[in-house]
Amino acid sequence: KEPMLPAPVARRGISEAQWRTLANNLFPGADSNSVLMVWDYCVARQLDPLKKPCHIVPMRVRDSKSGDYVWRDVVMPGIYEYRTTATRTGFYLGHTRPEYGPIIEHLGVKAPEYCNFTVYRWNPQASMRAEYPVQVKFAECAGTTKDKKTGELYVNDRWSKAPQQMLTKCAEAAALREA
C-alpha cells in the first residue's frame, strides 16, 4: 500500500518516487512549496526536474506591501538550463575554451582573477556566426557567506573547493545569457 501524497503533489501527477527523489535527494531540507515551485518551473520550461536544471536559493527580498526585507526561496536557473535552452534554439554553435587571468587571492581563496568565455550563435538575418564574449571576475561573482560572530565575509564552501570550476561555470552562463 502506497502512502498518500500531499494533495498539491498528487494534483500535479508527481509519482511517489519522483517526489521522494526531489524532496529527499535533490532538494533535501527545502520547504515542500519550494520544491513544488521547482516542479512548476520545469513543467513551464519543458525541463526534467530530476536533472536539477534549477536551484532553490534562499534570498532576502523586499516585501512589496510592507517594504520590509524577508527571507524567501527563489528558483534560479542553473547551467544545465542555460545549455538546454541554447541548444533548443537551433542557433547555438558552441563556445571557445575558457581563458583565465592571473591567480589572485580573494578573501583567502586563490583563483584566476577572471575568466573570458565566448559563445557562438548563428545569426540567420546576417547569415553569419555571431560572437558573444564575456569576462567574469572572480571577486565579483564568488559566492560569499558572512561569519555570524565577526560579520566578516568569506568565500563559501563550494567556491573554496572548486574556484576555477565555479568561475568557468559562471562565465559560460553569462555568455549563454548574452547570446
Short mmCIF file of all heavy atoms in Angstrom, two decimals, residues 80-114:
data_model
loop_
_atom_site.label_atom_id
_atom_site.label_comp_id
_atom_site.label_asym_id
_atom_site.label_seq_id
_atom_site.Cartn_x
_atom_site.Cartn_y
_atom_site.Cartn_z
N TYR A 80 22.74 23.84 -16.50
CA TYR A 80 22.05 22.85 -17.34
C TYR A 80 20.89 23.51 -18.09
O TYR A 80 20.69 23.24 -19.27
CB TYR A 80 21.54 21.70 -16.46
CG TYR A 80 20.51 20.81 -17.11
CD1 TYR A 80 20.89 19.82 -18.02
CD2 TYR A 80 19.16 20.95 -16.83
CE1 TYR A 80 19.94 19.00 -18.62
CE2 TYR A 80 18.22 20.14 -17.43
CZ TYR A 80 18.61 19.16 -18.32
OH TYR A 80 17.66 18.37 -18.91
N GLU A 81 20.15 24.36 -17.42
CA GLU A 81 19.03 25.04 -18.09
C GLU A 81 19.54 25.93 -19.21
O GLU A 81 19.00 25.96 -20.31
CB GLU A 81 18.20 25.87 -17.12
CG GLU A 81 17.56 27.01 -17.86
CD GLU A 81 16.10 27.21 -17.75
OE1 GLU A 81 15.57 27.17 -16.65
OE2 GLU A 81 15.50 27.46 -18.80
N TYR A 82 20.60 26.70 -18.96
CA TYR A 82 21.13 27.59 -20.00
C TYR A 82 21.62 26.79 -21.21
O TYR A 82 21.38 27.18 -22.35
CB TYR A 82 22.27 28.46 -19.44
CG TYR A 82 21.80 29.48 -18.44
CD1 TYR A 82 22.38 29.55 -17.18
CD2 TYR A 82 20.78 30.37 -18.73
CE1 TYR A 82 21.96 30.49 -16.25
CE2 TYR A 82 20.35 31.31 -17.81
CZ TYR A 82 20.94 31.36 -16.58
OH TYR A 82 20.52 32.28 -15.65
N ARG A 83 22.30 25.67 -20.96
CA ARG A 83 22.78 24.84 -22.07
C ARG A 83 21.62 24.25 -22.85
O ARG A 83 21.64 24.21 -24.09
CB ARG A 83 23.68 23.73 -21.54
CG ARG A 83 25.01 24.22 -21.01
CD ARG A 83 25.76 23.10 -20.32
NE ARG A 83 27.04 23.56 -19.82
CZ ARG A 83 27.66 22.97 -18.80
NH1 ARG A 83 27.14 21.92 -18.18
NH2 ARG A 83 28.83 23.44 -18.40
N THR A 84 20.62 23.76 -22.15
CA THR A 84 19.45 23.17 -22.80
C THR A 84 18.72 24.20 -23.64
O THR A 84 18.37 23.95 -24.80
CB THR A 84 18.49 22.58 -21.74
OG1 THR A 84 19.19 21.56 -21.01
CG2 THR A 84 17.26 21.97 -22.37
N THR A 85 18.49 25.37 -23.06
CA THR A 85 17.79 26.44 -23.77
C THR A 85 18.56 26.86 -25.02
O THR A 85 17.98 27.04 -26.09
CB THR A 85 17.55 27.63 -22.83
OG1 THR A 85 16.74 27.18 -21.73
CG2 THR A 85 16.83 28.77 -23.54
N ALA A 86 19.87 27.02 -24.89
CA ALA A 86 20.69 27.42 -26.04
C ALA A 86 20.61 26.37 -27.15
O ALA A 86 20.44 26.71 -28.33
CB ALA A 86 22.14 27.62 -25.61
N THR A 87 20.71 25.10 -26.79
CA THR A 87 20.65 24.04 -27.79
C THR A 87 19.29 23.99 -28.47
O THR A 87 19.21 23.79 -29.69
CB THR A 87 20.98 22.69 -27.12
OG1 THR A 87 22.29 22.78 -26.55
CG2 THR A 87 20.92 21.55 -28.12
N ARG A 88 18.23 24.19 -27.70
CA ARG A 88 16.88 24.14 -28.27
C ARG A 88 16.61 25.23 -29.30
O ARG A 88 15.74 25.08 -30.14
CB ARG A 88 15.84 24.25 -27.15
CG ARG A 88 15.68 23.00 -26.34
CD ARG A 88 14.66 23.23 -25.26
NE ARG A 88 14.45 22.05 -24.45
CZ ARG A 88 13.69 22.02 -23.38
NH1 ARG A 88 13.06 23.12 -22.97
NH2 ARG A 88 13.54 20.91 -22.69
N THR A 89 17.35 26.33 -29.24
CA THR A 89 17.12 27.41 -30.22
C THR A 89 17.47 26.96 -31.63
O THR A 89 16.94 27.50 -32.60
CB THR A 89 17.96 28.66 -29.90
OG1 THR A 89 19.35 28.35 -30.08
CG2 THR A 89 17.68 29.20 -28.51
N GLY A 90 18.39 26.00 -31.74
CA GLY A 90 18.87 25.58 -33.05
C GLY A 90 19.94 26.52 -33.60
O GLY A 90 20.48 26.28 -34.67
N PHE A 91 20.27 27.59 -32.86
CA PHE A 91 21.25 28.57 -33.32
C PHE A 91 22.57 28.49 -32.56
O PHE A 91 23.53 29.18 -32.89
CB PHE A 91 20.70 29.99 -33.22
CG PHE A 91 19.49 30.24 -34.07
CD1 PHE A 91 18.32 30.69 -33.51
CD2 PHE A 91 19.52 30.00 -35.43
CE1 PHE A 91 17.20 30.92 -34.29
CE2 PHE A 91 18.41 30.22 -36.23
CZ PHE A 91 17.24 30.68 -35.66
N TYR A 92 22.61 27.68 -31.51
CA TYR A 92 23.82 27.59 -30.69
C TYR A 92 24.90 26.85 -31.48
O TYR A 92 24.69 25.75 -31.97
CB TYR A 92 23.49 26.87 -29.39
CG TYR A 92 24.67 26.62 -28.49
CD1 TYR A 92 25.41 27.69 -27.99
CD2 TYR A 92 25.03 25.33 -28.12
CE1 TYR A 92 26.49 27.46 -27.14
CE2 TYR A 92 26.11 25.11 -27.27
CZ TYR A 92 26.84 26.17 -26.80
OH TYR A 92 27.90 25.96 -25.97
N LEU A 93 26.09 27.46 -31.58
CA LEU A 93 27.19 26.88 -32.36
C LEU A 93 28.42 26.56 -31.51
O LEU A 93 29.51 26.40 -32.04
CB LEU A 93 27.59 27.85 -33.48
CG LEU A 93 26.51 28.15 -34.52
CD1 LEU A 93 27.02 29.19 -35.52
CD2 LEU A 93 26.09 26.89 -35.25
N GLY A 94 28.24 26.45 -30.20
CA GLY A 94 29.36 26.09 -29.35
C GLY A 94 30.05 27.28 -28.72
O GLY A 94 29.53 28.39 -28.74
N HIS A 95 31.25 27.03 -28.18
CA HIS A 95 31.97 28.07 -27.47
C HIS A 95 33.47 27.83 -27.55
O HIS A 95 33.93 26.76 -27.94
CB HIS A 95 31.52 28.13 -26.01
CG HIS A 95 31.71 26.84 -25.26
ND1 HIS A 95 32.93 26.44 -24.75
CD2 HIS A 95 30.85 25.86 -24.94
CE1 HIS A 95 32.80 25.27 -24.14
NE2 HIS A 95 31.54 24.88 -24.24
N THR A 96 34.21 28.84 -27.15
CA THR A 96 35.67 28.74 -27.09
C THR A 96 36.08 28.04 -25.80
O THR A 96 35.26 27.84 -24.89
CB THR A 96 36.31 30.14 -27.08
OG1 THR A 96 35.83 30.85 -25.93
CG2 THR A 96 36.01 30.89 -28.35
N ARG A 97 37.35 27.72 -25.72
CA ARG A 97 37.90 27.24 -24.45
C ARG A 97 37.99 28.44 -23.51
O ARG A 97 38.29 29.56 -23.96
CB ARG A 97 39.30 26.68 -24.66
CG ARG A 97 39.31 25.41 -25.48
CD ARG A 97 40.73 24.96 -25.66
NE ARG A 97 41.23 24.54 -24.36
CZ ARG A 97 41.93 23.43 -24.15
NH1 ARG A 97 42.27 22.68 -25.17
NH2 ARG A 97 42.33 23.10 -22.94
N PRO A 98 37.74 28.25 -22.24
CA PRO A 98 37.86 29.39 -21.32
C PRO A 98 39.30 29.87 -21.23
O PRO A 98 40.23 29.07 -21.34
CB PRO A 98 37.37 28.82 -19.98
CG PRO A 98 37.40 27.35 -20.12
CD PRO A 98 37.34 27.03 -21.58
N GLU A 99 39.47 31.15 -21.05
CA GLU A 99 40.79 31.76 -20.84
C GLU A 99 40.78 32.43 -19.48
O GLU A 99 39.84 33.15 -19.15
CB GLU A 99 41.08 32.79 -21.94
CG GLU A 99 41.16 32.20 -23.32
CD GLU A 99 41.31 33.27 -24.39
OE1 GLU A 99 41.45 34.47 -24.06
OE2 GLU A 99 41.26 32.90 -25.58
N TYR A 100 41.86 32.19 -18.72
CA TYR A 100 41.90 32.67 -17.34
C TYR A 100 42.95 33.76 -17.15
O TYR A 100 43.98 33.76 -17.80
CB TYR A 100 42.20 31.51 -16.39
CG TYR A 100 41.21 30.39 -16.52
CD1 TYR A 100 41.49 29.26 -17.27
CD2 TYR A 100 39.96 30.49 -15.91
CE1 TYR A 100 40.56 28.24 -17.40
CE2 TYR A 100 39.02 29.47 -16.03
CZ TYR A 100 39.33 28.35 -16.78
OH TYR A 100 38.41 27.35 -16.92
N GLY A 101 42.66 34.64 -16.21
CA GLY A 101 43.61 35.66 -15.82
C GLY A 101 44.60 35.11 -14.82
O GLY A 101 44.56 33.94 -14.45
N PRO A 102 45.49 35.96 -14.33
CA PRO A 102 46.49 35.53 -13.34
C PRO A 102 45.81 35.11 -12.03
O PRO A 102 44.70 35.55 -11.73
CB PRO A 102 47.35 36.77 -13.15
CG PRO A 102 46.48 37.91 -13.56
CD PRO A 102 45.58 37.39 -14.63
N ILE A 103 46.50 34.28 -11.28
CA ILE A 103 45.98 33.83 -9.99
C ILE A 103 46.06 34.97 -8.98
O ILE A 103 47.09 35.64 -8.86
CB ILE A 103 46.76 32.60 -9.47
CG1 ILE A 103 46.65 31.43 -10.45
CG2 ILE A 103 46.27 32.19 -8.07
CD1 ILE A 103 45.24 30.92 -10.69
N ILE A 104 44.95 35.20 -8.30
CA ILE A 104 44.88 36.22 -7.26
C ILE A 104 44.41 35.56 -5.96
O ILE A 104 44.00 34.39 -5.97
CB ILE A 104 43.88 37.35 -7.63
CG1 ILE A 104 42.47 36.76 -7.83
CG2 ILE A 104 44.36 38.11 -8.85
CD1 ILE A 104 41.36 37.78 -7.78
N GLU A 105 44.43 36.31 -4.90
CA GLU A 105 43.84 35.83 -3.65
C GLU A 105 42.68 36.75 -3.31
O GLU A 105 42.83 37.97 -3.28
CB GLU A 105 44.86 35.81 -2.52
CG GLU A 105 44.29 35.14 -1.27
CD GLU A 105 45.33 34.84 -0.22
OE1 GLU A 105 46.47 34.49 -0.59
OE2 GLU A 105 44.99 34.97 0.97
N HIS A 106 41.52 36.16 -3.11
CA HIS A 106 40.32 36.92 -2.77
C HIS A 106 39.68 36.28 -1.54
O HIS A 106 39.27 35.12 -1.58
CB HIS A 106 39.34 36.92 -3.94
CG HIS A 106 38.05 37.62 -3.64
ND1 HIS A 106 37.96 38.99 -3.50
CD2 HIS A 106 36.81 37.13 -3.44
CE1 HIS A 106 36.71 39.31 -3.23
NE2 HIS A 106 35.99 38.20 -3.19
N LEU A 107 39.63 37.01 -0.46
CA LEU A 107 39.06 36.53 0.80
C LEU A 107 39.65 35.18 1.21
O LEU A 107 38.95 34.27 1.66
CB LEU A 107 37.53 36.44 0.70
CG LEU A 107 36.79 37.74 0.42
CD1 LEU A 107 35.29 37.48 0.27
CD2 LEU A 107 37.04 38.76 1.52
N GLY A 108 40.96 35.03 0.98
CA GLY A 108 41.66 33.82 1.39
C GLY A 108 41.64 32.68 0.38
O GLY A 108 42.20 31.62 0.65
N VAL A 109 41.02 32.86 -0.77
CA VAL A 109 40.96 31.80 -1.79
C VAL A 109 41.80 32.22 -2.99
O VAL A 109 41.67 33.33 -3.49
CB VAL A 109 39.50 31.54 -2.23
CG1 VAL A 109 39.45 30.57 -3.39
CG2 VAL A 109 38.68 31.03 -1.06
N LYS A 110 42.66 31.31 -3.43
CA LYS A 110 43.45 31.56 -4.64
C LYS A 110 42.67 31.07 -5.84
O LYS A 110 42.21 29.92 -5.87
CB LYS A 110 44.80 30.86 -4.55
CG LYS A 110 45.70 31.49 -3.51
CD LYS A 110 47.06 30.87 -3.47
CE LYS A 110 47.89 31.57 -2.40
NZ LYS A 110 49.20 31.00 -2.27
N ALA A 111 42.52 31.97 -6.83
CA ALA A 111 41.72 31.66 -8.02
C ALA A 111 42.15 32.56 -9.16
O ALA A 111 42.79 33.60 -8.93
CB ALA A 111 40.23 31.89 -7.71
N PRO A 112 41.76 32.20 -10.39
CA PRO A 112 42.04 33.12 -11.50
C PRO A 112 41.29 34.43 -11.27
O PRO A 112 40.16 34.44 -10.77
CB PRO A 112 41.48 32.38 -12.73
CG PRO A 112 41.38 30.95 -12.32
CD PRO A 112 41.13 30.96 -10.84
N GLU A 113 41.93 35.52 -11.65
CA GLU A 113 41.30 36.84 -11.47
C GLU A 113 40.01 36.95 -12.29
O GLU A 113 39.04 37.56 -11.86
CB GLU A 113 42.27 37.94 -11.89
CG GLU A 113 41.71 39.33 -11.73
CD GLU A 113 42.68 40.41 -12.18
OE1 GLU A 113 43.70 40.10 -12.83
OE2 GLU A 113 42.40 41.59 -11.87
N TYR A 114 40.03 36.35 -13.49
CA TYR A 114 38.86 36.42 -14.36
C TYR A 114 38.84 35.21 -15.29
O TYR A 114 39.82 34.47 -15.40
CB TYR A 114 38.86 37.71 -15.20
CG TYR A 114 40.07 37.85 -16.10
CD1 TYR A 114 40.12 37.24 -17.35
CD2 TYR A 114 41.17 38.60 -15.68
CE1 TYR A 114 41.23 37.36 -18.15
CE2 TYR A 114 42.28 38.73 -16.50
CZ TYR A 114 42.31 38.11 -17.73
OH TYR A 114 43.41 38.22 -18.53
#
